[in-house]
Amino acid sequence: MDATIEKALHIMLANWERMKKSHEDDAEDDANTFEASFYHLMEQIREWFGKLEPKPTTVDDALLLPDMAKLEEQMPVEILLNFETELELIVEGETRIEDERYD
């Protein structure tokens, strides 16, 4: 797996675990930290994807790439749909508007 994607994945997973164990006082900050790390991971994937030749034309084809298959295996099931949705946008060459992120 690409080193920058792997690093971003590990940070996102650590933030996911911290968010799941948050106490009420820290919950909002931990959720915001997780969200930022999730979107940072997706930006790393977008950059990596931009260098692929040929590029997959569907999200299913993208998920068959060894790096994406490995990443998907490590992704918590609770955020798998969000990951696949963001990956679909990347495959389609679209960028999510900041206000359209998951809240």
Side-chain angles (χ1 to χ4, degrees), residues 28-85:
E28 183 177 358
D29 288 341
D30 289 345
N32 289 337
T33 300
F34 163 73
E35 180 182 36
S37 65
F38 174 80
Y39 286 109
H40 177 72
L41 169 64
M42 297 313 300
E43 283 305 312
Q44 297 304 311
I45 292 170
R46 181 180 300 280
E47 288 179 24
W48 171 81
F49 190 85
K51 298 173 188 171
L52 292 179
E53 286 300 329
K55 291 177 182 32
T57 56
T58 68
V59 72
D60 290 334
D61 289 343
L63 290 169
L64 292 175
L65 296 169
D67 284 355
M68 291 300 99
K70 253 172 112 173
L71 196 142
E72 185 181 36
E73 288 173 4
Q74 297 178 60
M75 193 69 58
V77 68
E78 297 91 340
I79 59 173
L80 204 51
L81 181 59
N82 294 8
F83 167 71
E84 290 175 355
T85 300

Side-chain angles (χ1 to χ4, degrees), residues 11-25:
I11 291 169
M12 191 259 332
L13 291 173
N15 289 335
W16 172 257
E17 288 302 317
R18 183 176 35 237
M19 183 182 74
K20 286 185 359 182
K21 298 173 185 172
S22 285
H23 296 291
E24 192 174 309
D25 294 342

